[in-house]
mmCIF file of all heavy atoms in Angstrom:
data_model
loop_
_atom_site.group_PDB
_atom_site.id
_atom_site.type_symbol
_atom_site.label_atom_id
_atom_site.label_comp_id
_atom_site.label_asym_id
_atom_site.label_seq_id
_atom_site.Cartn_x
_atom_site.Cartn_y
_atom_site.Cartn_z
ATOM 1 N N GLY B 48 37.244 77.126 116.636
ATOM 2 C CA GLY B 48 35.828 77.435 116.810
ATOM 3 C C GLY B 48 35.234 77.789 115.471
ATOM 4 O O GLY B 48 35.962 78.008 114.505
ATOM 5 N N PRO B 49 33.911 77.852 115.412
ATOM 6 C CA PRO B 49 33.257 78.110 114.136
ATOM 7 C C PRO B 49 33.576 79.495 113.585
ATOM 8 O O PRO B 49 34.044 80.376 114.319
ATOM 9 C CB PRO B 49 31.761 77.985 114.461
ATOM 10 C CG PRO B 49 31.650 78.063 115.936
ATOM 11 C CD PRO B 49 32.962 77.652 116.514
ATOM 12 N N SER B 50 33.308 79.670 112.323
ATOM 13 C CA SER B 50 33.482 80.961 111.670
ATOM 14 C C SER B 50 32.670 82.021 112.426
ATOM 15 O O SER B 50 31.533 81.771 112.808
ATOM 16 C CB SER B 50 32.995 80.815 110.221
ATOM 17 O OG SER B 50 33.116 82.039 109.581
ATOM 18 N N GLY B 51 33.272 83.162 112.688
ATOM 19 C CA GLY B 51 32.582 84.239 113.399
ATOM 20 C C GLY B 51 32.691 84.162 114.910
ATOM 21 O O GLY B 51 32.152 85.021 115.612
ATOM 22 N N SER B 52 33.412 83.159 115.433
ATOM 23 C CA SER B 52 33.463 82.997 116.891
ATOM 24 C C SER B 52 34.455 83.960 117.558
ATOM 25 O O SER B 52 34.485 84.061 118.782
ATOM 26 C CB SER B 52 33.785 81.545 117.263
ATOM 27 O OG SER B 52 34.984 81.120 116.654
ATOM 28 N N GLY B 53 35.291 84.620 116.758
ATOM 29 C CA GLY B 53 36.199 85.618 117.330
ATOM 30 C C GLY B 53 37.675 85.255 117.268
ATOM 31 O O GLY B 53 38.511 85.941 117.839
ATOM 32 N N LYS B 54 38.008 84.186 116.539
ATOM 33 C CA LYS B 54 39.402 83.710 116.483
ATOM 34 C C LYS B 54 40.347 84.773 115.937
ATOM 35 O O LYS B 54 41.378 85.077 116.535
ATOM 36 C CB LYS B 54 39.495 82.445 115.589
ATOM 37 C CG LYS B 54 38.572 81.318 116.004
ATOM 38 C CD LYS B 54 38.763 80.093 115.110
ATOM 39 C CE LYS B 54 38.364 80.291 113.650
ATOM 40 N NZ LYS B 54 36.919 80.528 113.470
ATOM 41 N N THR B 55 40.006 85.330 114.772
ATOM 42 C CA THR B 55 40.884 86.326 114.145
ATOM 43 C C THR B 55 40.976 87.582 115.001
ATOM 44 O O THR B 55 42.069 88.138 115.178
ATOM 45 C CB THR B 55 40.370 86.669 112.725
ATOM 46 O OG1 THR B 55 40.489 85.491 111.912
ATOM 47 C CG2 THR B 55 41.146 87.802 112.089
ATOM 48 N N THR B 56 39.865 87.996 115.551
ATOM 49 C CA THR B 56 39.860 89.189 116.403
ATOM 50 C C THR B 56 40.805 89.002 117.587
ATOM 51 O O THR B 56 41.622 89.879 117.893
ATOM 52 C CB THR B 56 38.426 89.476 116.911
ATOM 53 O OG1 THR B 56 37.556 89.582 115.782
ATOM 54 C CG2 THR B 56 38.365 90.760 117.709
ATOM 55 N N LEU B 58 43.309 86.795 117.835
ATOM 56 C CA LEU B 58 44.684 86.664 117.343
ATOM 57 C C LEU B 58 45.277 88.040 117.029
ATOM 58 O O LEU B 58 46.433 88.320 117.343
ATOM 59 C CB LEU B 58 44.703 85.775 116.090
ATOM 60 C CG LEU B 58 46.058 85.225 115.690
ATOM 61 C CD1 LEU B 58 46.504 84.142 116.663
ATOM 62 C CD2 LEU B 58 46.018 84.650 114.275
ATOM 63 N N ASN B 59 44.480 88.904 116.406
ATOM 64 C CA ASN B 59 44.963 90.246 116.058
ATOM 65 C C ASN B 59 45.260 91.083 117.294
ATOM 66 O O ASN B 59 46.191 91.895 117.298
ATOM 67 C CB ASN B 59 43.942 90.965 115.170
ATOM 68 C CG ASN B 59 43.928 90.410 113.761
ATOM 69 O OD1 ASN B 59 44.815 89.642 113.376
ATOM 70 N ND2 ASN B 59 42.926 90.776 112.981
ATOM 71 N N GLN B 100 46.633 83.313 105.796
ATOM 72 C CA GLN B 100 46.022 82.395 104.838
ATOM 73 C C GLN B 100 46.489 82.679 103.408
ATOM 74 O O GLN B 100 46.754 81.769 102.636
ATOM 75 C CB GLN B 100 44.499 82.585 104.949
ATOM 76 C CG GLN B 100 43.691 81.857 103.933
ATOM 77 C CD GLN B 100 42.198 82.070 104.189
ATOM 78 O OE1 GLN B 100 41.799 82.510 105.259
ATOM 79 N NE2 GLN B 100 41.387 81.753 103.216
ATOM 80 N N ASP B 176 47.070 82.802 111.071
ATOM 81 C CA ASP B 176 45.615 82.842 110.880
ATOM 82 C C ASP B 176 45.223 81.955 109.702
ATOM 83 O O ASP B 176 45.539 82.285 108.554
ATOM 84 C CB ASP B 176 45.166 84.289 110.648
ATOM 85 C CG ASP B 176 43.667 84.451 110.866
ATOM 86 O OD1 ASP B 176 42.955 83.430 111.029
ATOM 87 O OD2 ASP B 176 43.198 85.608 110.876
ATOM 88 N N GLU B 177 44.581 80.843 109.982
ATOM 89 C CA GLU B 177 44.135 79.883 108.970
ATOM 90 C C GLU B 177 45.261 79.577 107.957
ATOM 91 O O GLU B 177 45.056 79.699 106.751
ATOM 92 C CB GLU B 177 42.902 80.413 108.212
ATOM 93 C CG GLU B 177 41.761 80.878 109.095
ATOM 94 C CD GLU B 177 40.865 79.744 109.611
ATOM 95 O OE1 GLU B 177 41.179 78.556 109.361
ATOM 96 O OE2 GLU B 177 39.873 80.072 110.284
ATOM 97 N N ALA B 208 44.896 80.465 114.545
ATOM 98 C CA ALA B 208 43.448 80.596 114.498
ATOM 99 C C ALA B 208 43.025 79.671 113.370
ATOM 100 O O ALA B 208 43.514 79.806 112.250
ATOM 101 C CB ALA B 208 43.047 82.030 114.182
ATOM 102 N N THR B 209 42.163 78.729 113.674
ATOM 103 C CA THR B 209 41.835 77.757 112.626
ATOM 104 C C THR B 209 40.529 77.033 112.883
ATOM 105 O O THR B 209 40.112 76.868 114.030
ATOM 106 C CB THR B 209 42.960 76.711 112.496
ATOM 107 O OG1 THR B 209 42.660 75.842 111.415
ATOM 108 C CG2 THR B 209 43.116 75.886 113.768
ATOM 109 N N HIS B 210 39.877 76.634 111.810
ATOM 110 C CA HIS B 210 38.807 75.655 111.986
ATOM 111 C C HIS B 210 39.079 74.438 111.093
ATOM 112 O O HIS B 210 38.182 73.681 110.765
ATOM 113 C CB HIS B 210 37.424 76.273 111.750
ATOM 114 C CG HIS B 210 37.206 76.837 110.385
ATOM 115 N ND1 HIS B 210 37.522 78.127 110.062
ATOM 116 C CD2 HIS B 210 36.706 76.279 109.273
ATOM 117 C CE1 HIS B 210 37.225 78.335 108.794
ATOM 118 N NE2 HIS B 210 36.731 77.240 108.286
HETATM 119 MG MG1 MG D 27 39.097 84.277 111.085
#
Side-chain angles (χ1 to χ4, degrees):
S50 178
S52 56
K54 305 182 295 295
T55 295
T56 305
L58 197 72
N59 287 348
Q100 173 177 345
D176 197 351
E177 308 279 5
T209 184
H210 60 272

